[in-house]
Amino acid sequence: MAYPFQLGFQDASSPIMEELLHFHDHTLMIVFLISSLVLYIISLMLTTKLTHTSTMDAQEVETIWTLLPAIILIMTALPSLRILYMMDEINNPSLTVKTMGHQWYWSYEYTDYEDLSFDSYMIPTSDLNPGDLRLLEVDNRVVLPMELPIRMLISSEDVLHSWAVPSLGLKTDAIPGRLNQATLISTRPGLFYGQCSEICGSNHSFMPIVLEMVPLKHFENWSLSMI
């Protein structure tokens, strides 16, 4: 999860988030090079009085500064489209979890089990145990198996919400009357925190999300204890 004064992204815990981080670094390097070049040209124009007339009127220069931005856009667009299709692709999910947004809590239903559903509320500050995170802990965590493809079906029962877990590269809108889906794969066990990322009313800040990723054996034991 994020720490105080953090400037970058959270550590990636899924293949999709790793791809997003690589794409971010790739695009940021292109932006850095373009900014450096523009700053260098501006500084030259402000510090020199010489003008090369043949360069200002050269057809070759105009061709270069027309083709170069197009090539840069293609270098940015192709990796972006690749990741976009990867995020929408779902191949034989091992588990399906339906998430419903409410004002102001989340409810979860494991559709592969006959009767496994619960509501997840934020724990008030006065009830926190030592070491718990304020505004992020919930009374019922979402326990999921790691290293398995999981399909999240996300919707809402009242207003717009957004189910987001940054370290897993997840952010999907919860829209009343519409069912959105997202793919979730965790490469390591642990607790992953998120929050509602769509302003949904007065208690929008009090809708945390906690995913507990565990090995498959532990998940089976937990599911049997819940049924």
Side-chain angles (χ1 to χ4, degrees):
M1 61 169 293
Y3 55 84
F5 303 105
Q6 179 175 343
L7 297 179
F9 291 99
Q10 298 182 22
D11 293 337
S13 300
S14 69
I16 293 296
M17 190 58 188
E18 291 178 1
E19 292 287 341
L20 289 173
L21 288 179
H22 293 158
F23 175 68
H24 170 267
D25 296 341
H26 166 76
T27 308
L28 195 62
M29 184 56 64
I30 294 176
V31 172
F32 174 75
L33 294 175
I34 293 175
S35 302
S36 301
L37 178 61
V38 172
L39 184 62
Y40 174 71
I41 294 175
I42 291 176
S43 63
L44 284 182
M45 293 177 63
L46 295 176
T47 56
T48 181
K49 297 181 179 179
L50 300 178
T51 302
H52 199 298
T53 55
S54 61
T55 302
M56 300 294 292
D57 298 331
Q59 190 73 27
E60 294 80 5
V61 175
E62 294 184 5
T63 303
I64 291 174
W65 72 41
T66 301
L67 292 179
L68 194 58
I71 295 173
I72 293 175
L73 287 176
I74 293 175
M75 292 174 59
T76 305
L78 291 181
S80 175
L81 290 174
R82 172 177 169 271
I83 297 175
L84 190 63
Y85 280 100
M86 287 176 60
M87 294 176 67
D88 286 338
E89 187 175 358
I90 298 179
N91 291 324
N92 299 323
S94 302
L95 182 68
T96 300
V97 180
K98 185 171 71 173
T99 304
M100 297 295 292
H102 308 267
Q103 290 181 312
W104 287 270
Y105 64 96
W106 298 98
S107 62
Y108 300 93
E109 178 183 350
Y110 292 71
T111 58
D112 298 289
Y113 296 84
E114 185 174 350
D115 188 19
L116 181 52
S117 61
F118 52 84
D119 296 331
S120 181
Y121 290 86
M122 185 196 74
I123 298 178
T125 304
S126 58
D127 297 336
L128 291 175
N129 297 319
D132 288 345
L133 301 172
R134 179 177 173 270
L135 300 182
L136 287 177
E137 297 291 349
V138 296
D139 54 357
N140 290 310
R141 295 171 176 170
V142 183
V143 181
L144 297 172
M146 57 176 287
E147 296 180 338
L148 289 177
I150 300 168
R151 175 172 55 192
M152 303 297 300
L153 301 178
I154 302 165
S155 185
S156 172
E157 284 198 355
D158 36 50
V159 298
L160 291 177
H161 300 279
S162 185
W163 198 81
V165 182
S167 59
L168 297 175
L170 291 173
K171 187 179 185 299
T172 305
D173 289 340
I175 304 173
R178 178 172 179 176
L179 201 62
N180 292 328
Q181 68 177 8
T183 308
L184 166 62
I185 301 177
S186 175
T187 56
R188 56 190 174 95
L191 293 177
F192 303 101
Y193 293 88
Q195 289 177 301
C196 177
S197 297
E198 187 76 42
I199 297 178
C200 54
S202 60
N203 290 336
H204 157 68
S205 302
F206 310 117
M207 291 183 63
I209 302 162
V210 182
L211 302 184
E212 184 175 351
M213 309 303 297
V214 298
L216 180 59
K217 182 179 179 180
H218 292 77
F219 171 76
E220 292 175 345
N221 294 334
W222 172 85
S223 61
L224 291 176
S225 65
M226 294 289 292
I227 298 178

